[in-house]
Amino acid sequence: MTGHTENDITIAAPLDLVWDMTNDVANWPQLFSEYASVEILSREGDKTTFRLTMKPDENGTVWSWVSERETDRDALTVRARRVETGPFAYMNIRWQYEKVPEGTRMVWTQDFAMKPDAPVDDAWMTDNINKNSKVQMALIRDRIEQAAAERRPVPSLTD
């Protein structure tokens, strides 16, 4: 069995702002609530290799891994994969962005499989990713919409 998730959210902000904020990997601990730190290991063109460390889970375990992320601004897509897979046999992620009348639609698609000796199976991880993606996407939406509101010019009293 393998796992597959697809989650999306619409953010009331310009595509450029959504793209810039969500692809600023070094700033992810300020964008996501689950990440404690990011260490950029290398940058080659549009590809970034980085170590992501999560905040301790409910059992006090700190998870960390290395991922590779390659952006394609023209296609409005990002492809990522775990290099250090940990409990995953593999983990591939695709982010897609689309300009919509309400702002920007962002879609996260994750394809993965858990290793046979992993502490959880594919079905459990699918459910976990679906729940967590909704929480993180809502948080990201709120933070980007706040940034967009702060960037809007304030009307003058003579307008």
Side-chain angles (χ1 to χ4, degrees), residues 43 63 150:
R43 283 198 169 105
W63 298 94
E150 291 168 0

Side-chain angles (χ1 to χ4, degrees), residues 1-101:
M1 188 176 152
T2 60
H4 173 83
T5 66
E6 186 169 303
N7 291 279
D8 70 282
I9 197 161
T10 298
I11 302 169
L15 188 137
D16 286 340
L17 181 62
V18 175
W19 178 270
D20 291 345
M21 288 184 70
T22 58
N23 287 296
D24 180 3
V25 174
N27 197 46
W28 278 6
Q30 286 71 51
L31 192 61
F32 291 80
S33 65
E34 62 190 348
Y35 299 142
S37 66
V38 174
E39 178 188 359
I40 304 298
L41 303 174
S42 70
R43 283 198 169 105
E44 299 173 28
D46 293 328
K47 187 181 351 180
T48 303
T49 303
F50 57 98
R51 174 170 293 284
L52 196 55
T53 302
M54 296 188 75
K55 293 178 180 172
D57 67 16
E58 63 279 355
N59 300 317
T61 304
V62 175
W63 298 94
S64 182
W65 63 90
V66 173
S67 286
E68 230 174 43
R69 183 175 173 82
E70 190 161 3
T71 60
D72 183 340
R73 182 65 172 87
D74 293 338
L76 299 176
T77 61
V78 178
R79 293 191 182 276
R81 69 180 186 90
R82 283 193 181 199
V83 176
E84 291 178 2
T85 59
F88 293 91
Y90 65 89
M91 166 63 87
N92 298 315
I93 306 168
R94 180 179 167 143
W95 292 36
Q96 296 170 270
Y97 301 81
E98 176 187 6
K99 192 173 185 176
V100 295

